[in-house]
Amino acid sequence: MSGVENRTVGAGDAGQRLDRWFRKHFPALGQGGLQKLLRKGQVRVDGRRAKANHRLEAGQVVRVPPLSEGKPDQPVSSPAYTPTAQEAETLRESVLYRDEAVLAIDKPAGLAVQGGSGQRKHLDAMLDALRFGAAERPRLVHRLDKDTSGVLVLARSAAAARSLTRAFRDGTVRKLYWAAVLGQPKLKYGEIDLPLGKSGPKGREKMLPMAPDAGEEALTRYVTVATTGRRAASWLALRPVTGRTHQLRVHCAAIGHPILGDGKYGGKQAFPEIDGLPGQLLLHARSIALPDPASGVTLRITAPPPAQFLQAWRALGFDPDSPRGDPFED
């Protein structure tokens, strides 16, 4: 059937009922319309019929049928995005690691991981290009912001998705990010322990520091790797202990050192007048270490800094090959 969309359940939607998931992603689809689709078997989870109260798991794939225009309880659904041959090939060339359970890619800045309001082109819509002959479509098990580059891990089966999702949830996954921030933190090594919560009108929400009883726990460890001679900017190695939305961006801004290029949380301060500095978000998912569901060994996957990072590092006088770039190595 044309117009069918397959959406991967993100980590943030794990544990949510299927009907509430639809309410979130297709708010104009009423409960009656959804129940009719479920009775006909047009909505499926991992290829199987499901009920409205089915609890979703991260990595599961929800089949969304065409949602007809003009019918009560049904919104207009934009057609699923189909990548061009060149886009599919570029995506395959971005693979950093592949085995029977795990696939890791070097996600470019500017590519959204999942769709949203007005966002048709996104990685989740292009995952069939990364099957490499596998019976199952790859599944998302975590996310990166649209403007963040670097390592993104995918599961190659439902079983691998369950294993990897558990590893992310249990804190056995270690992530390292590189960021260029405004100024120089007072402490070279530190922790940012600030609960976070969402605030603002629909469509313009932001994550903000919250009181412990109002927000979700969020903890980031950082090390200052290098600083410009005028202390105008610093290279930080960041390790998020928790995985909240926009956590690193909010935490850096909260201590007075917003990530360069981050207008959402840093405002005009995030765009200092430094010759040769690109105007893009300078946040890169440098590496990830996680247990491989296939072998049980710990995988460590690294993504090289992209062109905008190399340009920024040249402008700031940083050495991207410095061994100090991974101070959390263990």
Side-chain angles (χ1 to χ4, degrees), residues 203-232:
R204 297 199 302 274
E205 299 97 336
K206 292 177 68 173
M207 299 298 292
L208 298 173
M210 297 279 186
D213 59 347
E216 292 186 291
E217 177 189 8
L219 177 64
T220 301
R221 297 192 175 105
Y222 73 87
V223 174
T224 304
V225 179
T227 303
T228 57
R230 295 168 293 159
R231 299 185 179 181

PDB file of all heavy atoms in Angstrom, residues 203-232:
ATOM      1  N   GLY A 203       5.573  23.779  20.400  1.00  0.00           N
ATOM      2  CA  GLY A 203       6.294  24.106  19.183  1.00  0.00           C
ATOM      3  C   GLY A 203       7.528  24.949  19.425  1.00  0.00           C
ATOM      4  O   GLY A 203       8.410  25.029  18.573  1.00  0.00           O
ATOM      5  N   ARG A 204       7.592  25.572  20.605  1.00  0.00           N
ATOM      6  CA  ARG A 204       8.762  26.394  20.930  1.00  0.00           C
ATOM      7  C   ARG A 204       9.303  26.022  22.317  1.00  0.00           C
ATOM      8  O   ARG A 204       9.893  26.842  23.014  1.00  0.00           O
ATOM      9  CB  ARG A 204       8.409  27.890  20.890  1.00  0.00           C
ATOM     10  CG  ARG A 204       7.992  28.386  19.524  1.00  0.00           C
ATOM     11  CD  ARG A 204       8.097  29.898  19.399  1.00  0.00           C
ATOM     12  NE  ARG A 204       7.303  30.596  20.385  1.00  0.00           N
ATOM     13  CZ  ARG A 204       6.019  30.894  20.237  1.00  0.00           C
ATOM     14  NH1 ARG A 204       5.381  30.533  19.132  1.00  0.00           N
ATOM     15  NH2 ARG A 204       5.346  31.540  21.170  1.00  0.00           N
ATOM     16  N   GLU A 205       9.122  24.759  22.692  1.00  0.00           N
ATOM     17  CA  GLU A 205       9.574  24.325  24.009  1.00  0.00           C
ATOM     18  C   GLU A 205      11.098  24.351  24.106  1.00  0.00           C
ATOM     19  O   GLU A 205      11.808  24.183  23.117  1.00  0.00           O
ATOM     20  CB  GLU A 205       9.093  22.901  24.308  1.00  0.00           C
ATOM     21  CG  GLU A 205       7.584  22.727  24.321  1.00  0.00           C
ATOM     22  CD  GLU A 205       7.042  22.205  23.019  1.00  0.00           C
ATOM     23  OE1 GLU A 205       7.711  22.390  21.971  1.00  0.00           O
ATOM     24  OE2 GLU A 205       5.947  21.627  23.035  1.00  0.00           O
ATOM     25  N   LYS A 206      11.569  24.567  25.323  1.00  0.00           N
ATOM     26  CA  LYS A 206      12.999  24.501  25.612  1.00  0.00           C
ATOM     27  C   LYS A 206      13.191  23.687  26.882  1.00  0.00           C
ATOM     28  O   LYS A 206      12.307  23.625  27.737  1.00  0.00           O
ATOM     29  CB  LYS A 206      13.588  25.909  25.821  1.00  0.00           C
ATOM     30  CG  LYS A 206      13.614  26.768  24.587  1.00  0.00           C
ATOM     31  CD  LYS A 206      14.140  28.159  24.889  1.00  0.00           C
ATOM     32  CE  LYS A 206      15.614  28.158  25.256  1.00  0.00           C
ATOM     33  NZ  LYS A 206      16.155  29.537  25.387  1.00  0.00           N
ATOM     34  N   MET A 207      14.341  23.065  26.983  1.00  0.00           N
ATOM     35  CA  MET A 207      14.710  22.383  28.216  1.00  0.00           C
ATOM     36  C   MET A 207      15.379  23.395  29.131  1.00  0.00           C
ATOM     37  O   MET A 207      16.235  24.171  28.692  1.00  0.00           O
ATOM     38  CB  MET A 207      15.649  21.221  27.926  1.00  0.00           C
ATOM     39  CG  MET A 207      15.056  20.150  27.033  1.00  0.00           C
ATOM     40  SD  MET A 207      13.601  19.342  27.721  1.00  0.00           S
ATOM     41  CE  MET A 207      14.333  18.440  29.103  1.00  0.00           C
ATOM     42  N   LEU A 208      14.993  23.395  30.397  1.00  0.00           N
ATOM     43  CA  LEU A 208      15.511  24.373  31.348  1.00  0.00           C
ATOM     44  C   LEU A 208      15.913  23.692  32.653  1.00  0.00           C
ATOM     45  O   LEU A 208      15.345  22.655  33.021  1.00  0.00           O
ATOM     46  CB  LEU A 208      14.448  25.437  31.645  1.00  0.00           C
ATOM     47  CG  LEU A 208      13.979  26.303  30.478  1.00  0.00           C
ATOM     48  CD1 LEU A 208      12.813  27.183  30.929  1.00  0.00           C
ATOM     49  CD2 LEU A 208      15.121  27.163  29.953  1.00  0.00           C
ATOM     50  N   PRO A 209      16.888  24.264  33.385  1.00  0.00           N
ATOM     51  CA  PRO A 209      17.197  23.746  34.724  1.00  0.00           C
ATOM     52  C   PRO A 209      15.975  23.866  35.622  1.00  0.00           C
ATOM     53  O   PRO A 209      15.245  24.860  35.563  1.00  0.00           O
ATOM     54  CB  PRO A 209      18.327  24.667  35.197  1.00  0.00           C
ATOM     55  CG  PRO A 209      18.947  25.197  33.947  1.00  0.00           C
ATOM     56  CD  PRO A 209      17.802  25.353  32.983  1.00  0.00           C
ATOM     57  N   MET A 210      15.735  22.856  36.418  1.00  0.00           N
ATOM     58  CA  MET A 210      14.560  22.811  37.280  1.00  0.00           C
ATOM     59  C   MET A 210      14.969  22.453  38.704  1.00  0.00           C
ATOM     60  O   MET A 210      16.059  21.939  38.947  1.00  0.00           O
ATOM     61  CB  MET A 210      13.573  21.747  36.769  1.00  0.00           C
ATOM     62  CG  MET A 210      13.014  22.009  35.387  1.00  0.00           C
ATOM     63  SD  MET A 210      11.651  23.191  35.471  1.00  0.00           S
ATOM     64  CE  MET A 210      11.068  23.180  33.762  1.00  0.00           C
ATOM     65  N   ALA A 211      14.059  22.701  39.635  1.00  0.00           N
ATOM     66  CA  ALA A 211      14.251  22.228  41.004  1.00  0.00           C
ATOM     67  C   ALA A 211      14.194  20.705  40.995  1.00  0.00           C
ATOM     68  O   ALA A 211      13.535  20.108  40.142  1.00  0.00           O
ATOM     69  CB  ALA A 211      13.160  22.800  41.913  1.00  0.00           C
ATOM     70  N   PRO A 212      14.881  20.047  41.937  1.00  0.00           N
ATOM     71  CA  PRO A 212      14.919  18.580  41.959  1.00  0.00           C
ATOM     72  C   PRO A 212      13.547  17.924  41.937  1.00  0.00           C
ATOM     73  O   PRO A 212      13.379  16.851  41.350  1.00  0.00           O
ATOM     74  CB  PRO A 212      15.669  18.274  43.251  1.00  0.00           C
ATOM     75  CG  PRO A 212      16.545  19.468  43.461  1.00  0.00           C
ATOM     76  CD  PRO A 212      15.738  20.638  42.978  1.00  0.00           C
ATOM     77  N   ASP A 213      12.553  18.552  42.569  1.00  0.00           N
ATOM     78  CA  ASP A 213      11.232  17.938  42.624  1.00  0.00           C
ATOM     79  C   ASP A 213      10.390  18.242  41.385  1.00  0.00           C
ATOM     80  O   ASP A 213       9.273  17.748  41.248  1.00  0.00           O
ATOM     81  CB  ASP A 213      10.481  18.395  43.879  1.00  0.00           C
ATOM     82  CG  ASP A 213      10.299  19.914  43.939  1.00  0.00           C
ATOM     83  OD1 ASP A 213      10.963  20.619  43.159  1.00  0.00           O
ATOM     84  OD2 ASP A 213       9.510  20.377  44.778  1.00  0.00           O
ATOM     85  N   ALA A 214      10.946  19.073  40.475  1.00  0.00           N
ATOM     86  CA  ALA A 214      10.181  19.452  39.287  1.00  0.00           C
ATOM     87  C   ALA A 214      10.773  18.908  37.988  1.00  0.00           C
ATOM     88  O   ALA A 214      10.059  18.793  36.994  1.00  0.00           O
ATOM     89  CB  ALA A 214      10.094  20.978  39.194  1.00  0.00           C
ATOM     90  N   GLY A 215      12.051  18.584  37.989  1.00  0.00           N
ATOM     91  CA  GLY A 215      12.702  18.122  36.761  1.00  0.00           C
ATOM     92  C   GLY A 215      13.255  16.721  36.895  1.00  0.00           C
ATOM     93  O   GLY A 215      13.168  16.092  37.948  1.00  0.00           O
ATOM     94  N   GLU A 216      13.813  16.223  35.799  1.00  0.00           N
ATOM     95  CA  GLU A 216      14.436  14.907  35.788  1.00  0.00           C
ATOM     96  C   GLU A 216      15.929  15.033  36.062  1.00  0.00           C
ATOM     97  O   GLU A 216      16.581  15.990  35.621  1.00  0.00           O
ATOM     98  CB  GLU A 216      14.229  14.241  34.421  1.00  0.00           C
ATOM     99  CG  GLU A 216      12.790  13.878  34.125  1.00  0.00           C
ATOM    100  CD  GLU A 216      12.673  13.095  32.831  1.00  0.00           C
ATOM    101  OE1 GLU A 216      12.905  13.678  31.767  1.00  0.00           O
ATOM    102  OE2 GLU A 216      12.361  11.891  32.890  1.00  0.00           O
ATOM    103  N   GLU A 217      16.466  14.069  36.778  1.00  0.00           N
ATOM    104  CA  GLU A 217      17.883  14.087  37.109  1.00  0.00           C
ATOM    105  C   GLU A 217      18.722  14.177  35.834  1.00  0.00           C
ATOM    106  O   GLU A 217      18.461  13.493  34.850  1.00  0.00           O
ATOM    107  CB  GLU A 217      18.254  12.812  37.858  1.00  0.00           C
ATOM    108  CG  GLU A 217      19.739  12.698  38.183  1.00  0.00           C
ATOM    109  CD  GLU A 217      20.114  11.339  38.733  1.00  0.00           C
ATOM    110  OE1 GLU A 217      19.256  10.440  38.718  1.00  0.00           O
ATOM    111  OE2 GLU A 217      21.278  11.175  39.159  1.00  0.00           O
ATOM    112  N   ALA A 218      19.742  15.048  35.846  1.00  0.00           N
ATOM    113  CA  ALA A 218      20.633  15.195  34.695  1.00  0.00           C
ATOM    114  C   ALA A 218      22.034  15.494  35.211  1.00  0.00           C
ATOM    115  O   ALA A 218      22.233  16.449  35.967  1.00  0.00           O
ATOM    116  CB  ALA A 218      20.151  16.318  33.781  1.00  0.00           C
ATOM    117  N   LEU A 219      22.994  14.679  34.782  1.00  0.00           N
ATOM    118  CA  LEU A 219      24.367  14.802  35.266  1.00  0.00           C
ATOM    119  C   LEU A 219      25.341  14.721  34.098  1.00  0.00           C
ATOM    120  O   LEU A 219      25.268  13.797  33.284  1.00  0.00           O
ATOM    121  CB  LEU A 219      24.684  13.695  36.283  1.00  0.00           C
ATOM    122  CG  LEU A 219      26.117  13.645  36.830  1.00  0.00           C
ATOM    123  CD1 LEU A 219      26.447  14.902  37.630  1.00  0.00           C
ATOM    124  CD2 LEU A 219      26.302  12.396  37.701  1.00  0.00           C
ATOM    125  N   THR A 220      26.245  15.691  34.026  1.00  0.00           N
ATOM    126  CA  THR A 220      27.265  15.739  32.981  1.00  0.00           C
ATOM    127  C   THR A 220      28.633  15.930  33.623  1.00  0.00           C
ATOM    128  O   THR A 220      28.792  16.784  34.499  1.00  0.00           O
ATOM    129  CB  THR A 220      27.021  16.910  32.008  1.00  0.00           C
ATOM    130  OG1 THR A 220      25.738  16.775  31.394  1.00  0.00           O
ATOM    131  CG2 THR A 220      28.099  16.967  30.930  1.00  0.00           C
ATOM    132  N   ARG A 221      29.612  15.147  33.185  1.00  0.00           N
ATOM    133  CA  ARG A 221      30.997  15.352  33.603  1.00  0.00           C
ATOM    134  C   ARG A 221      31.748  16.024  32.461  1.00  0.00           C
ATOM    135  O   ARG A 221      31.497  15.733  31.286  1.00  0.00           O
ATOM    136  CB  ARG A 221      31.657  14.020  33.976  1.00  0.00           C
ATOM    137  CG  ARG A 221      30.998  13.342  35.171  1.00  0.00           C
ATOM    138  CD  ARG A 221      31.843  12.177  35.699  1.00  0.00           C
ATOM    139  NE  ARG A 221      31.230  11.644  36.911  1.00  0.00           N
ATOM    140  CZ  ARG A 221      30.558  10.494  36.986  1.00  0.00           C
ATOM    141  NH1 ARG A 221      30.442   9.753  35.913  1.00  0.00           N
ATOM    142  NH2 ARG A 221      30.032  10.084  38.119  1.00  0.00           N
ATOM    143  N   TYR A 222      32.681  16.916  32.808  1.00  0.00           N
ATOM    144  CA  TYR A 222      33.426  17.597  31.749  1.00  0.00           C
ATOM    145  C   TYR A 222      34.889  17.747  32.121  1.00  0.00           C
ATOM    146  O   TYR A 222      35.267  17.738  33.298  1.00  0.00           O
ATOM    147  CB  TYR A 222      32.825  18.976  31.448  1.00  0.00           C
ATOM    148  CG  TYR A 222      33.101  20.018  32.511  1.00  0.00           C
ATOM    149  CD1 TYR A 222      34.281  20.776  32.472  1.00  0.00           C
ATOM    150  CD2 TYR A 222      32.205  20.255  33.549  1.00  0.00           C
ATOM    151  CE1 TYR A 222      34.556  21.731  33.453  1.00  0.00           C
ATOM    152  CE2 TYR A 222      32.466  21.191  34.516  1.00  0.00           C
ATOM    153  CZ  TYR A 222      33.637  21.937  34.472  1.00  0.00           C
ATOM    154  OH  TYR A 222      33.907  22.865  35.444  1.00  0.00           O
ATOM    155  N   VAL A 223      35.734  17.887  31.102  1.00  0.00           N
ATOM    156  CA  VAL A 223      37.153  18.185  31.250  1.00  0.00           C
ATOM    157  C   VAL A 223      37.496  19.243  30.215  1.00  0.00           C
ATOM    158  O   VAL A 223      37.098  19.132  29.054  1.00  0.00           O
ATOM    159  CB  VAL A 223      38.035  16.939  31.032  1.00  0.00           C
ATOM    160  CG1 VAL A 223      39.521  17.314  31.053  1.00  0.00           C
ATOM    161  CG2 VAL A 223      37.744  15.879  32.082  1.00  0.00           C
ATOM    162  N   THR A 224      38.229  20.273  30.638  1.00  0.00           N
ATOM    163  CA  THR A 224      38.706  21.281  29.695  1.00  0.00           C
ATOM    164  C   THR A 224      39.980  20.743  29.035  1.00  0.00           C
ATOM    165  O   THR A 224      41.008  20.566  29.695  1.00  0.00           O
ATOM    166  CB  THR A 224      39.008  22.613  30.399  1.00  0.00           C
ATOM    167  OG1 THR A 224      37.833  23.057  31.097  1.00  0.00           O
ATOM    168  CG2 THR A 224      39.421  23.682  29.395  1.00  0.00           C
ATOM    169  N   VAL A 225      39.900  20.484  27.755  1.00  0.00           N
ATOM    170  CA  VAL A 225      41.029  19.915  27.016  1.00  0.00           C
ATOM    171  C   VAL A 225      42.015  20.998  26.603  1.00  0.00           C
ATOM    172  O   VAL A 225      43.232  20.836  26.716  1.00  0.00           O
ATOM    173  CB  VAL A 225      40.529  19.152  25.768  1.00  0.00           C
ATOM    174  CG1 VAL A 225      41.706  18.581  24.972  1.00  0.00           C
ATOM    175  CG2 VAL A 225      39.564  18.038  26.171  1.00  0.00           C
ATOM    176  N   ALA A 226      41.510  22.140  26.125  1.00  0.00           N
ATOM    177  CA  ALA A 226      42.369  23.238  25.677  1.00  0.00           C
ATOM    178  C   ALA A 226      41.580  24.538  25.721  1.00  0.00           C
ATOM    179  O   ALA A 226      40.343  24.526  25.704  1.00  0.00           O
ATOM    180  CB  ALA A 226      42.884  22.977  24.265  1.00  0.00           C
ATOM    181  N   THR A 227      42.309  25.647  25.762  1.00  0.00           N
ATOM    182  CA  THR A 227      41.692  26.972  25.810  1.00  0.00           C
ATOM    183  C   THR A 227      42.459  27.912  24.881  1.00  0.00           C
ATOM    184  O   THR A 227      43.682  27.789  24.755  1.00  0.00           O
ATOM    185  CB  THR A 227      41.711  27.543  27.241  1.00  0.00           C
ATOM    186  OG1 THR A 227      41.040  26.627  28.111  1.00  0.00           O
ATOM    187  CG2 THR A 227      41.000  28.885  27.318  1.00  0.00           C
ATOM    188  N   THR A 228      41.752  28.822  24.241  1.00  0.00           N
ATOM    189  CA  THR A 228      42.416  29.806  23.392  1.00  0.00           C
ATOM    190  C   THR A 228      43.280  30.725  24.246  1.00  0.00           C
ATOM    191  O   THR A 228      43.042  30.885  25.448  1.00  0.00           O
ATOM    192  CB  THR A 228      41.393  30.652  22.620  1.00  0.00           C
ATOM    193  OG1 THR A 228      40.515  31.281  23.562  1.00  0.00           O
ATOM    194  CG2 THR A 228      40.576  29.812  21.669  1.00  0.00           C
ATOM    195  N   GLY A 229      44.272  31.327  23.609  1.00  0.00           N
ATOM    196  CA  GLY A 229      45.189  32.193  24.349  1.00  0.00           C
ATOM    197  C   GLY A 229      44.494  33.306  25.086  1.00  0.00           C
ATOM    198  O   GLY A 229      44.885  33.684  26.192  1.00  0.00           O
ATOM    199  N   ARG A 230      43.444  33.850  24.509  1.00  0.00           N
ATOM    200  CA  ARG A 230      42.696  34.944  25.151  1.00  0.00           C
ATOM    201  C   ARG A 230      41.576  34.409  26.051  1.00  0.00           C
ATOM    202  O   ARG A 230      40.777  35.182  26.575  1.00  0.00           O
ATOM    203  CB  ARG A 230      42.092  35.859  24.083  1.00  0.00           C
ATOM    204  CG  ARG A 230      43.127  36.603  23.242  1.00  0.00           C
ATOM    205  CD  ARG A 230      42.452  37.241  22.040  1.00  0.00           C
ATOM    206  NE  ARG A 230      41.945  36.217  21.120  1.00  0.00           N
ATOM    207  CZ  ARG A 230      40.995  36.443  20.229  1.00  0.00           C
ATOM    208  NH1 ARG A 230      40.419  37.618  20.149  1.00  0.00           N
ATOM    209  NH2 ARG A 230      40.594  35.477  19.420  1.00  0.00           N
ATOM    210  N   ARG A 231      41.531  33.088  26.195  1.00  0.00           N
ATOM    211  CA  ARG A 231      40.491  32.426  26.986  1.00  0.00           C
ATOM    212  C   ARG A 231      39.086  32.755  26.481  1.00  0.00           C
ATOM    213  O   ARG A 231      38.116  32.744  27.233  1.00  0.00           O
ATOM    214  CB  ARG A 231      40.609  32.794  28.471  1.00  0.00           C
ATOM    215  CG  ARG A 231      41.939  32.360  29.082  1.00  0.00           C
ATOM    216  CD  ARG A 231      41.979  32.619  30.564  1.00  0.00           C
ATOM    217  NE  ARG A 231      43.258  32.166  31.130  1.00  0.00           N
ATOM    218  CZ  ARG A 231      43.588  32.246  32.409  1.00  0.00           C
ATOM    219  NH1 ARG A 231      42.716  32.777  33.273  1.00  0.00           N
ATOM    220  NH2 ARG A 231      44.743  31.819  32.842  1.00  0.00           N
ATOM    221  N   ALA A 232      39.013  33.052  25.183  1.00  0.00           N
ATOM    222  CA  ALA A 232      37.718  33.393  24.601  1.00  0.00           C
ATOM    223  C   ALA A 232      36.843  32.160  24.401  1.00  0.00           C
ATOM    224  O   ALA A 232      35.612  32.255  24.376  1.00  0.00           O
ATOM    225  CB  ALA A 232      37.918  34.102  23.260  1.00  0.00           C
TER     226      ALA A 232
END
